[in-house]
Amino acid sequence: MLVNRKPHNSCLTMAYQCEGKRIETIESISEDRLDQIQQIFLEEGGFQCGYCTPGMVISLKGVLNECSNPTVEDLKVGLSGNLCRCTGYGGILRSLERISEYNKEYVYFTRCKDFLAWDVYERIISDVRNLGPTSAKTIC
């Protein structure tokens, strides 16, 4: 889970420690559609049984909250402590590469998300995806 946008082990965090803090779980990051991290995991085969996927997605979300332009190595470090017994990590590593590349392209635009109404954000992101990073930087 994320507590104030930073990763925390949910099994080691007591409820009283979260009072007055922003809590995000795998369920809260994708209300209407999959989060981009979830979509990339799906497309790259970054999961099999799905048991470890929520922890990995949330951990990666925490890395992206802290580092706007992470390398694949940054993402690997962010996943430390998350174990997968099914995939052999091939799909997960492909997912990390795509997440790193995706985030580099749209880092300037996604910083604007918190300041826009959701419907405005959705409309703009659909247009910006085809423009590339230079145009996205100009919009924000």
Side-chain angles (χ1 to χ4, degrees), residues 13-113:
T13 305
M14 304 300 269
Y16 73 86
Q17 295 172 305
C18 299
E19 187 174 344
K21 297 179 182 172
R22 178 180 175 183
I23 306 300
E24 295 173 84
T25 64
I26 193 69
E27 293 83 9
S28 68
I29 66 167
S30 58
E31 294 175 16
D32 295 334
R33 63 178 63 138
L34 292 177
D35 180 81
Q36 189 63 37
I37 297 170
Q38 292 171 308
Q39 186 64 41
I40 289 171
F41 260 68
L42 180 66
E43 292 170 4
E44 295 298 330
F47 66 92
Q48 255 183 5
C49 76
Y51 188 77
C52 67
T53 307
M56 290 197 182
V57 169
I58 288 293
S59 294
L60 291 171
K61 191 88 168 156
V63 171
L64 295 176
N65 288 341
E66 293 291 314
C67 179
S68 62
N69 196 6
T71 64
V72 173
E73 284 303 313
D74 294 331
L75 296 172
K76 285 180 184 178
V77 169
L79 283 183
S80 61
N82 289 280
L83 301 173
C84 175
R85 301 288 302 260
C86 298
T87 68
Y89 293 94
I92 294 167
L93 293 175
R94 284 191 307 274
S95 298
L96 298 183
E97 290 170 9
R98 279 221 19 226
I99 291 166
S100 177
E101 288 305 310
Y102 177 85
N103 212 51
K104 283 179 190 169
E105 291 176 15
Y106 299 106
V107 65
Y108 299 105
F109 178 72
T110 56
R111 286 183 180 163
C112 301
K113 179 180 176 185

Side-chain angles (χ1 to χ4, degrees), residues 32-33 113 116-123:
D32 295 334
R33 63 178 63 138
K113 179 180 176 185
L116 298 173
W118 183 251
D119 60 328
V120 174
Y121 170 75
E122 284 296 306
R123 195 172 52 235

Side-chain angles (χ1 to χ4, degrees), residues 119-132:
D119 60 328
V120 174
Y121 170 75
E122 284 296 306
R123 195 172 52 235
I124 292 173
I125 191 88
S126 66
D127 294 337
V128 170
R129 288 185 194 271
N130 297 322
L131 297 177

